Amino acid sequence: MKGRNEPVRQSPRADRARSAEVAGALEEALAQLNQQTALWQCFLAAHRQIVEQLADEMLREHQLPLEWFDVLVHLADLPGMRARQKELRDRVLLSESGVSRLLVRMEKAGLITRSTADDDRRGLEIAVTDDGRAALLAAIESHLQLVAALFSDRLTATDQAALSWILSKLLAKPKQDSDAGR
């Protein structure tokens, strides 16, 4: 007699039939996925290609990982080029531990400082150092040129206007379905 937690073994013929059934269903599902998400997959491929080229160039030309550049840009947009770690985490869309590890590496490189926040000893305040400002300044020009070459210069003014409109629609919060509450 089989134990309660042991699966009942089917015959090899039933296993093959089930395997063929799953393979057929998977093939149909993948065809549907490819058909219905072709534009999405193209968008992701373009994004990946552009970001990889930006990251390679930033590292090669400035020895600055693209994630570090992103953090420095976000901090530069804030008063005093400083922010609470939580605020920065929300801006760069990383987990708490991911941001923490990233900031430790940036601090070791001398680009930022991390200190206990004055108003709340539990929080950390992140500030850009003079070396961080210099690294950001040095990287901005080549970053702008590469973004233009890989992205904006490839689009007509009409393309840019259309893409801007489309992206604003995608970034807008979805409207609640009026029938959902009924």
Side-chain angles (χ1 to χ4, degrees):
M1 181 170 193
K2 296 255 181 202
R4 282 189 171 157
N5 293 332
E6 293 182 34
V8 176
R9 190 77 181 128
Q10 294 182 350
S11 71
R13 179 179 286 179
D15 285 347
R16 283 191 300 275
R18 174 73 180 134
S19 180
E21 181 182 319
V22 168
L26 180 58
E27 188 175 325
E28 285 179 34
L30 287 172
Q32 183 181 11
L33 179 72
N34 290 331
Q35 179 187 19
Q36 293 180 12
T37 64
L39 183 59
W40 172 248
Q41 295 299 326
C42 187
F43 169 79
L44 291 177
H47 177 268
R48 184 174 33 255
Q49 179 180 325
I50 291 169
V51 169
E52 285 174 0
Q53 289 176 315
L54 287 170
D56 290 347
E57 177 77 11
M58 189 64 62
L59 202 53
R60 183 175 51 256
E61 294 295 321
H62 304 285
Q63 296 73 52
L64 193 65
L66 190 58
E67 296 84 7
W68 293 16
F69 178 78
D70 188 40
V71 166
L72 292 172
V73 167
H74 282 292
L75 287 168
D77 281 342
L78 298 170
M81 295 183 82
R82 53 187 345 108
R84 299 288 295 266
Q85 183 168 321
K86 181 187 180 317
E87 180 183 1
L88 190 58
R89 182 198 70 216
D90 294 344
R91 285 175 159 255
V92 296
L93 302 176
L94 289 174
S95 68
E96 186 68 40
S97 62
V99 167
S100 186
R101 287 190 302 270
L102 176 73
L103 295 176
V104 165
R105 292 190 304 270
M106 290 180 72
E107 184 178 38
K108 285 181 182 175
L111 301 176
I112 61 159
T113 59
R114 297 180 318 141
S115 58
T116 304
D118 291 335
D119 60 339
D120 180 1
R121 295 286 186 205
R122 295 172 295 173
L124 285 177
E125 186 171 82
I126 313 305
V128 180
T129 64
D130 288 342
D131 286 347
R133 286 181 179 88
L136 180 59
L137 180 61
I140 285 175
E141 184 62 32
S142 65
H143 181 74
L144 289 172
Q145 290 173 357
L146 194 57
V147 167
L150 297 174
F151 185 70
S152 51
D153 287 354
R154 293 178 170 189
L155 304 173
T156 66
T158 303
D159 292 339
Q160 290 182 25
L163 184 56
S164 180
W165 181 74
I166 290 166
L167 291 174
S168 69
K169 287 176 69 172
L170 295 175
L171 291 171
K173 293 195 185 274
K175 293 179 182 172
Q176 295 295 342
D177 186 7
S178 59
D179 295 333
R182 292 182 192 163

